[in-house]
Amino acid sequence: MSTQISVPEQGGRKKVTVLTLRQKKERGQPITMLTAYDYPTAILLERAGIDAILVGDSLGMVVLGYENTLPVTMDEMIHHCKAVARGARTPLLIGDMPFLSYQVSVSEAVRNAGRFLQEGGMDAVKLEGGRERLEAIRAIVQAGIPVMGHLGLTPQSVHQLGGFRPQGRTARAAQRLLEDARLLEEAGCFAIVLESVPARLATLISQRLSIPTIGIGAGPGCDGQVLVTHDLLGLFERFTPRFVKRYAQLHAEIERAFREYIQDVEARRFPAAEHTVEMSEEEWAELQRLLGESILSE
Ligand code: KIV
């Protein structure tokens, strides 16, 4: 009897797992990842054929309107993970562990990571940091939960880093980053996000590791790429990092649609006949009979 568990296929595509990502690296095939925070975006990413969806704590900035990612809570993350999990089954689903959900103690880290799988419907978690996170990473992995690392510009440390600025630009800082990447691999991470680091350093790290690297502002030498979907779609106007490529300008398009709607309602152009439900003449006559009065029809 075979002990192999088959992964359900969705519309002809096999479920993407951490092994799929590893195989893509081995074959030299780029890995695609984007963020999602809701059901409709998850459906669209699934249809478009994305490899992995990150429910990022960037949620705090691009959806919830916080100044940075620090105020995001576990409950907010789980709420949005559930919506994404209802919309997408095939991509690997990764939940981003928010600030203070894994730094306080190892047991809290494991419990919170578990919530992403048990309640949020995720397949894996991501957390930020290097050597200082090894104990938590090992414990989460030992609990059977795949962990994605995140090095370079780690937004939860924005105050320590002195702002959202590129990392690993000096030889010493680059050496430390490379060491951290190796330590994360040894601790059991299945992949590592490299954010805002010099392209040649990211290429070197990608060559030295057997697990995939997923770059954001880290050049083309990474094994995969990720962007914040709201940046890619032109939906987040507050600021756009240099490394973002905009594939749509939805902010302007949505604002145009809202203005047109307001004008239509004010000018009584909406709703028109095709947007309106009507009663039959017989039912209308019956209503007048029931009310015992004649109603003026316009
Ligand atoms: O929160 C997020 O969206 C992220 C990506 C930028 C990698 O961590």
Side-chain angles (χ1 to χ4, degrees):
M1 197 178 72
S2 165
T3 52
Q4 209 179 359
I5 299 168
S6 68
V7 182
E9 288 198 19
Q10 306 286 322
R13 259 185 98 214
K14 266 196 176 158
K15 171 76 183 165
V16 177
T17 68
V18 296
L19 293 179
T20 320
L21 300 196
R22 182 72 165 249
Q23 284 161 356
K24 286 196 98 170
K25 174 173 176 125
E26 284 162 8
R27 293 181 192 137
Q29 297 169 336
I31 296 162
T32 57
M33 180 159 108
L34 281 171
T35 64
Y37 319 99
D38 58 35
Y39 174 74
T41 311
I43 290 179
L44 291 169
L45 285 174
E46 160 116 40
R47 281 197 202 147
I50 201 87
D51 289 322
I53 296 179
L54 172 68
V55 185
D57 66 349
S58 48
L59 160 79
M61 296 175 77
V62 301
V63 174
L64 302 180
Y66 297 140
E67 194 61 33
N68 51 47
T69 59
L70 301 183
V72 178
T73 64
M74 272 301 296
D75 287 344
E76 284 168 340
M77 289 305 302
I78 296 293
H79 176 77
H80 287 270
C81 285
K82 282 180 177 175
V84 169
R86 283 180 213 117
R89 294 286 303 120
T90 313
L92 181 70
L93 302 180
I94 304 157
D96 208 2
M97 298 193 72
F99 182 54
L100 291 191
S101 69
Y102 54 95
Q103 294 92 335
V104 177
S105 73
V106 169
S107 60
E108 258 189 70
V110 176
R111 170 105 28 227
N112 284 324
R115 284 189 66 192
F116 276 93
L117 275 66
Q118 210 166 37
E119 298 173 41
M122 297 289 103
D123 305 313
V125 297
K126 174 172 87 59
L127 57 82
E128 296 180 8
R131 58 199 71 195
E132 67 284 4
R133 298 288 158 243
L134 297 180
E135 221 192 318
I137 291 170
R138 282 194 206 101
I140 296 170
V141 172
Q142 262 172 26
I145 301 167
V147 177
M148 174 177 265
H150 185 158
L151 293 173
L153 170 50
T154 45
Q156 291 174 18
S157 310
V158 59
H159 297 308
Q160 203 169 40
L161 300 176
F164 295 103
R165 49 179 62 235
Q167 299 297 308
R169 297 179 88 183
T170 64
R172 286 240 179 272
Q175 186 187 29
R176 191 176 162 88
L177 241 154
L178 176 59
E179 283 168 10
D180 275 348
R182 281 210 178 106
L183 290 168
L184 291 191
E185 175 169 62
E186 277 165 28
C189 284
F190 72 87
I192 301 177
V193 167
L194 296 176
E195 179 164 354
S196 216
V197 300
R200 51 181 148 185
L201 173 62
T203 304
L204 179 71
I205 294 174
S206 307
Q207 287 164 350
R208 297 266 169 106
L209 298 187
S210 43
I211 57 172
T213 58
I214 313 288
I216 173 164
C222 295
D223 302 302
Q225 297 293 328
V226 59
L227 281 177
V228 169
T229 291
H230 283 54
D231 289 336
L232 171 153
L233 293 177
L235 259 179
F236 184 63
E237 293 280 278
R238 213 159 77 203
F239 68 87
T240 308
R242 184 174 154 226
F243 53 72
V244 169
K245 179 171 174 185
R246 281 209 173 163
Y247 290 81
Q249 304 291 343
L250 292 195
H251 202 275
E253 179 62 8
I254 292 173
E255 189 178 328
R256 184 202 55 72
F258 290 162
R259 285 184 190 282
E260 235 174 80
Y261 166 77
I262 292 166
Q263 285 165 5
D264 273 1
V265 171
E266 287 177 350
R268 299 190 189 285
R269 281 190 298 266
F270 178 83
E274 67 267 30
H275 311 119
T276 308
V277 192
E278 256 317 345
M279 288 170 76
S280 69
E281 289 304 328
E282 295 75 41
E283 291 300 331
W284 187 247
E286 177 63 6
L287 175 64
Q288 297 194 58
R289 195 190 62 74
L290 290 174
L291 295 176
E293 57 188 81
S294 70
I295 308 168
L296 287 180
S297 307
E298 343 29 285

PDB file of all heavy atoms in Angstrom, residues 157-173:
ATOM      1  N   SER A 157      11.491  46.204  12.084  1.00  0.00           N
ATOM      2  CA  SER A 157      12.606  46.827  12.807  1.00  0.00           C
ATOM      3  C   SER A 157      12.875  48.232  12.276  1.00  0.00           C
ATOM      4  O   SER A 157      13.997  48.739  12.388  1.00  0.00           O
ATOM      5  CB  SER A 157      13.880  45.991  12.655  1.00  0.00           C
ATOM      6  OG  SER A 157      13.641  44.658  12.956  1.00  0.00           O
ATOM      7  N   VAL A 158      11.863  48.852  11.700  1.00  0.00           N
ATOM      8  CA  VAL A 158      12.054  50.149  11.026  1.00  0.00           C
ATOM      9  C   VAL A 158      12.728  51.184  11.931  1.00  0.00           C
ATOM     10  O   VAL A 158      13.595  51.938  11.479  1.00  0.00           O
ATOM     11  CB  VAL A 158      10.709  50.673  10.446  1.00  0.00           C
ATOM     12  CG1 VAL A 158       9.652  50.856  11.505  1.00  0.00           C
ATOM     13  CG2 VAL A 158      10.913  51.970   9.679  1.00  0.00           C
ATOM     14  N   HIS A 159      12.382  51.180  13.225  1.00  0.00           N
ATOM     15  CA  HIS A 159      12.974  52.186  14.129  1.00  0.00           C
ATOM     16  C   HIS A 159      14.441  51.880  14.419  1.00  0.00           C
ATOM     17  O   HIS A 159      15.259  52.774  14.535  1.00  0.00           O
ATOM     18  CB  HIS A 159      12.157  52.282  15.417  1.00  0.00           C
ATOM     19  CG  HIS A 159      10.744  52.746  15.163  1.00  0.00           C
ATOM     20  ND1 HIS A 159      10.456  53.884  14.452  1.00  0.00           N
ATOM     21  CD2 HIS A 159       9.545  52.198  15.480  1.00  0.00           C
ATOM     22  CE1 HIS A 159       9.146  54.031  14.356  1.00  0.00           C
ATOM     23  NE2 HIS A 159       8.566  53.018  14.960  1.00  0.00           N
ATOM     24  N   GLN A 160      14.737  50.591  14.515  1.00  0.00           N
ATOM     25  CA  GLN A 160      16.127  50.185  14.754  1.00  0.00           C
ATOM     26  C   GLN A 160      16.994  50.461  13.519  1.00  0.00           C
ATOM     27  O   GLN A 160      18.156  50.846  13.628  1.00  0.00           O
ATOM     28  CB  GLN A 160      16.140  48.687  15.063  1.00  0.00           C
ATOM     29  CG  GLN A 160      17.327  48.211  15.825  1.00  0.00           C
ATOM     30  CD  GLN A 160      17.097  46.798  16.304  1.00  0.00           C
ATOM     31  OE1 GLN A 160      16.544  45.968  15.581  1.00  0.00           O
ATOM     32  NE2 GLN A 160      17.513  46.523  17.526  1.00  0.00           N
ATOM     33  N   LEU A 161      16.405  50.282  12.337  1.00  0.00           N
ATOM     34  CA  LEU A 161      17.149  50.478  11.086  1.00  0.00           C
ATOM     35  C   LEU A 161      17.250  51.955  10.712  1.00  0.00           C
ATOM     36  O   LEU A 161      17.974  52.318   9.783  1.00  0.00           O
ATOM     37  CB  LEU A 161      16.470  49.710   9.938  1.00  0.00           C
ATOM     38  CG  LEU A 161      16.350  48.185  10.100  1.00  0.00           C
ATOM     39  CD1 LEU A 161      15.581  47.584   8.936  1.00  0.00           C
ATOM     40  CD2 LEU A 161      17.724  47.537  10.220  1.00  0.00           C
ATOM     41  N   GLY A 162      16.478  52.799  11.397  1.00  0.00           N
ATOM     42  CA  GLY A 162      16.514  54.237  11.103  1.00  0.00           C
ATOM     43  C   GLY A 162      15.720  54.595   9.856  1.00  0.00           C
ATOM     44  O   GLY A 162      16.041  55.573   9.176  1.00  0.00           O
ATOM     45  N   GLY A 163      14.711  53.797   9.533  1.00  0.00           N
ATOM     46  CA  GLY A 163      13.852  54.098   8.376  1.00  0.00           C
ATOM     47  C   GLY A 163      13.825  52.935   7.396  1.00  0.00           C
ATOM     48  O   GLY A 163      14.527  51.939   7.573  1.00  0.00           O
ATOM     49  N   PHE A 164      12.997  53.089   6.359  1.00  0.00           N
ATOM     50  CA  PHE A 164      12.899  52.060   5.322  1.00  0.00           C
ATOM     51  C   PHE A 164      14.059  52.274   4.341  1.00  0.00           C
ATOM     52  O   PHE A 164      13.921  52.969   3.336  1.00  0.00           O
ATOM     53  CB  PHE A 164      11.548  52.167   4.595  1.00  0.00           C
ATOM     54  CG  PHE A 164      10.364  51.872   5.469  1.00  0.00           C
ATOM     55  CD1 PHE A 164       9.574  52.891   5.965  1.00  0.00           C
ATOM     56  CD2 PHE A 164      10.035  50.561   5.808  1.00  0.00           C
ATOM     57  CE1 PHE A 164       8.475  52.622   6.779  1.00  0.00           C
ATOM     58  CE2 PHE A 164       8.941  50.279   6.616  1.00  0.00           C
ATOM     59  CZ  PHE A 164       8.164  51.312   7.104  1.00  0.00           C
ATOM     60  N   ARG A 165      15.212  51.745   4.675  1.00  0.00           N
ATOM     61  CA  ARG A 165      16.404  51.994   3.852  1.00  0.00           C
ATOM     62  C   ARG A 165      17.077  50.667   3.459  1.00  0.00           C
ATOM     63  O   ARG A 165      16.993  49.674   4.190  1.00  0.00           O
ATOM     64  CB  ARG A 165      17.390  52.886   4.622  1.00  0.00           C
ATOM     65  CG  ARG A 165      17.640  52.369   6.038  1.00  0.00           C
ATOM     66  CD  ARG A 165      18.629  53.199   6.836  1.00  0.00           C
ATOM     67  NE  ARG A 165      18.191  54.563   7.040  1.00  0.00           N
ATOM     68  CZ  ARG A 165      18.906  55.641   6.706  1.00  0.00           C
ATOM     69  NH1 ARG A 165      20.091  55.498   6.184  1.00  0.00           N
ATOM     70  NH2 ARG A 165      18.454  56.839   6.960  1.00  0.00           N
ATOM     71  N   PRO A 166      17.763  50.665   2.305  1.00  0.00           N
ATOM     72  CA  PRO A 166      18.443  49.441   1.849  1.00  0.00           C
ATOM     73  C   PRO A 166      19.440  48.926   2.889  1.00  0.00           C
ATOM     74  O   PRO A 166      20.015  49.724   3.641  1.00  0.00           O
ATOM     75  CB  PRO A 166      19.158  49.875   0.572  1.00  0.00           C
ATOM     76  CG  PRO A 166      18.469  51.111   0.128  1.00  0.00           C
ATOM     77  CD  PRO A 166      17.949  51.777   1.369  1.00  0.00           C
ATOM     78  N   GLN A 167      19.658  47.630   2.909  1.00  0.00           N
ATOM     79  CA  GLN A 167      20.544  46.985   3.891  1.00  0.00           C
ATOM     80  C   GLN A 167      21.672  46.233   3.167  1.00  0.00           C
ATOM     81  O   GLN A 167      21.551  45.951   1.974  1.00  0.00           O
ATOM     82  CB  GLN A 167      19.741  45.998   4.752  1.00  0.00           C
ATOM     83  CG  GLN A 167      18.614  46.650   5.544  1.00  0.00           C
ATOM     84  CD  GLN A 167      19.113  47.664   6.568  1.00  0.00           C
ATOM     85  OE1 GLN A 167      19.978  47.372   7.387  1.00  0.00           O
ATOM     86  NE2 GLN A 167      18.567  48.870   6.503  1.00  0.00           N
ATOM     87  N   GLY A 168      22.732  45.939   3.922  1.00  0.00           N
ATOM     88  CA  GLY A 168      23.820  45.097   3.398  1.00  0.00           C
ATOM     89  C   GLY A 168      24.676  45.797   2.360  1.00  0.00           C
ATOM     90  O   GLY A 168      25.199  45.157   1.447  1.00  0.00           O
ATOM     91  N   ARG A 169      24.849  47.114   2.503  1.00  0.00           N
ATOM     92  CA  ARG A 169      25.603  47.839   1.468  1.00  0.00           C
ATOM     93  C   ARG A 169      27.091  47.960   1.769  1.00  0.00           C
ATOM     94  O   ARG A 169      27.864  48.345   0.907  1.00  0.00           O
ATOM     95  CB  ARG A 169      24.989  49.222   1.252  1.00  0.00           C
ATOM     96  CG  ARG A 169      23.570  49.094   0.747  1.00  0.00           C
ATOM     97  CD  ARG A 169      22.926  50.436   0.535  1.00  0.00           C
ATOM     98  NE  ARG A 169      23.186  50.954  -0.806  1.00  0.00           N
ATOM     99  CZ  ARG A 169      22.780  52.138  -1.238  1.00  0.00           C
ATOM    100  NH1 ARG A 169      22.126  52.944  -0.432  1.00  0.00           N
ATOM    101  NH2 ARG A 169      23.028  52.527  -2.456  1.00  0.00           N
ATOM    102  N   THR A 170      27.503  47.670   3.018  1.00  0.00           N
ATOM    103  CA  THR A 170      28.939  47.647   3.298  1.00  0.00           C
ATOM    104  C   THR A 170      29.389  46.183   3.309  1.00  0.00           C
ATOM    105  O   THR A 170      28.557  45.271   3.481  1.00  0.00           O
ATOM    106  CB  THR A 170      29.251  48.261   4.682  1.00  0.00           C
ATOM    107  OG1 THR A 170      28.633  47.422   5.685  1.00  0.00           O
ATOM    108  CG2 THR A 170      28.694  49.671   4.814  1.00  0.00           C
ATOM    109  N   ALA A 171      30.699  45.989   3.150  1.00  0.00           N
ATOM    110  CA  ALA A 171      31.227  44.622   3.095  1.00  0.00           C
ATOM    111  C   ALA A 171      30.868  43.856   4.373  1.00  0.00           C
ATOM    112  O   ALA A 171      30.446  42.691   4.323  1.00  0.00           O
ATOM    113  CB  ALA A 171      32.737  44.669   2.901  1.00  0.00           C
ATOM    114  N   ARG A 172      31.013  44.513   5.538  1.00  0.00           N
ATOM    115  CA  ARG A 172      30.731  43.847   6.822  1.00  0.00           C
ATOM    116  C   ARG A 172      29.255  43.478   6.948  1.00  0.00           C
ATOM    117  O   ARG A 172      28.906  42.377   7.376  1.00  0.00           O
ATOM    118  CB  ARG A 172      31.117  44.761   7.992  1.00  0.00           C
ATOM    119  CG  ARG A 172      32.583  44.893   8.220  1.00  0.00           C
ATOM    120  CD  ARG A 172      32.956  44.407   9.651  1.00  0.00           C
ATOM    121  NE  ARG A 172      34.401  44.523   9.856  1.00  0.00           N
ATOM    122  CZ  ARG A 172      35.257  43.554   9.525  1.00  0.00           C
ATOM    123  NH1 ARG A 172      34.842  42.410   9.028  1.00  0.00           N
ATOM    124  NH2 ARG A 172      36.557  43.732   9.712  1.00  0.00           N
ATOM    125  N   ALA A 173      28.385  44.459   6.560  1.00  0.00           N
ATOM    126  CA  ALA A 173      26.943  44.202   6.659  1.00  0.00           C
ATOM    127  C   ALA A 173      26.544  43.085   5.694  1.00  0.00           C
ATOM    128  O   ALA A 173      25.699  42.233   6.009  1.00  0.00           O
ATOM    129  CB  ALA A 173      26.169  45.471   6.355  1.00  0.00           C
TER     130      ALA A 173
END
